[in-house]
Amino acid sequence: LIRTNTLVKGAVVQIDATPFRNWYKQYYNVTLGGKVDDEEEVVSSRKSRAFKKRNLKRELDSSISSQMNKNRIYARISSRPGQCGRCDGYILEGEELNFYLRKMD
């Protein structure tokens, strides 16, 4: 998307991180980046057990965490967009993210 404003399969795009941050808060009960809430919300014992179990396996790459703080995430389109512009893709992480970050700098 550097030269033209067209969405094609394989294009790397920047997307808003807010929906991902909201899902992460709802699933793990951990706030990523941005503002930190001072007040704790009351959760049931069942939910607190589920959060503890999920947090045992939780790992977040530092590069994704830094992108969440900037409220922008790099993603790659994996499908061919139709006329309405809807497409599917995945979030870049690890070596693939580092490769594209070096190319963009």
Side-chain angles (χ1 to χ4, degrees), residues 7-49:
L7 290 176
V8 294
K9 183 177 178 179
V12 176
V13 294
Q14 251 187 352
I15 56 176
D16 185 31
T18 305
F20 300 102
R21 187 181 297 130
N22 291 341
W23 176 86
Y24 205 85
K25 169 71 175 158
Q26 184 180 6
Y27 192 77
Y28 291 111
N29 200 25
V30 175
T31 305
L32 291 176
K35 299 177 183 176
V36 177
D37 296 333
D38 291 336
E39 58 188 54
E40 292 290 325
E41 60 185 54
V42 178
V43 295
S44 66
S45 62
R46 183 177 179 153
K47 274 190 173 183
S48 65
R49 280 184 279 145

Side-chain angles (χ1 to χ4, degrees), residues 1 4 11-12 17 32 42 48 57 62 66 72 78 86 93 99:
L1 290 176
T4 62
V12 176
L32 291 176
V42 178
S48 65
K57 299 177 185 176
S62 62
S66 66
R72 290 287 176 198
S78 62
R86 184 187 181 281
E93 56 186 345
F99 172 78

